[in-house]
Amino acid sequence: MATLQKQEFVNFAMRKAGFSGDTMLNPADEEQKRDALIDLEAYMTEFHNERKQKDEPATPYIFATSLDELDGSDDSGLDMNYLSAIGYQLALRVIDDAQRPVPSGLAKRADRAMKSLLTTLWVPTPLKRRNDMPTGDGNRPYWPAGRFYNDGSGK
């Protein structure tokens, strides 16, 4: 599956934040896009560390070696499954940078998209089998020596 460039996340965020599009009188300038790329790197670092602390699999995001060399053409390592969730989270940060109030609809969509992504990434933890299932008495000559439950105490 093809991965997205980092600029695609920024364009999505700018569009959802209301800074970009055909109807905008003042489209996003290069400084805002650069700030959004830096915000993307910062958010993905937080997201990556948060998942690592919970012992969950990390994302395949490719971090920039240096923020000075950061441009939008870098490969992100993330596919389309991540675009909505990461893009909406980035949009919230872009709106915060502009010191504008976050529309409640945007916040709800960001929350819903992130929950959907986390559900997609969720890996169930294997359950440890309880060892208290009855094993039966079988042909044991003396019942208390080989207890009904196989808890290892009868040996």
Side-chain angles (χ1 to χ4, degrees), residues 95 107 117:
I95 288 175
L117 175 65

Side-chain angles (χ1 to χ4, degrees), residues 45-115:
T45 301
E46 292 171 16
F47 187 65
H48 183 78
N49 290 339
E50 184 179 302
R51 291 189 59 76
K52 204 182 332 180
Q53 285 176 352
K54 295 179 182 177
D55 291 330
E56 295 174 349
T59 61
Y61 187 76
I62 301 170
F63 291 96
T65 54
S66 166
L67 293 180
D68 297 331
E69 300 170 5
L70 188 63
D71 66 348
S73 64
D74 301 343
D75 186 28
S76 69
L78 304 177
D79 57 18
M80 286 295 291
N81 293 333
Y82 293 85
L83 180 62
S84 181
I86 303 300
Y88 274 121
Q89 295 298 321
L90 188 57
L92 295 176
R93 290 179 176 230
V94 167
I95 288 175
D96 188 46
D97 283 347
Q99 297 179 351
R100 289 176 30 193
V102 177
S104 62
L106 182 69
K108 288 178 185 175
R109 285 191 298 273
D111 184 53
R112 206 172 326 135
M114 184 52 73
K115 284 180 182 176

Side-chain angles (χ1 to χ4, degrees), residues 30-42:
E30 292 303 314
E31 184 179 347
Q32 285 177 317
K33 290 181 181 181
R34 174 127 177 88
D35 289 344
L37 281 169
I38 292 171
D39 285 347
L40 175 64
E41 289 291 317

Side-chain angles (χ1 to χ4, degrees), residues 18-37:
F19 289 109
S20 172
D22 295 336
T23 60
M24 293 302 299
L25 297 175
N26 298 324
D29 59 0
E30 292 303 314
E31 184 179 347
Q32 285 177 317
K33 290 181 181 181
R34 174 127 177 88
D35 289 344
L37 281 169

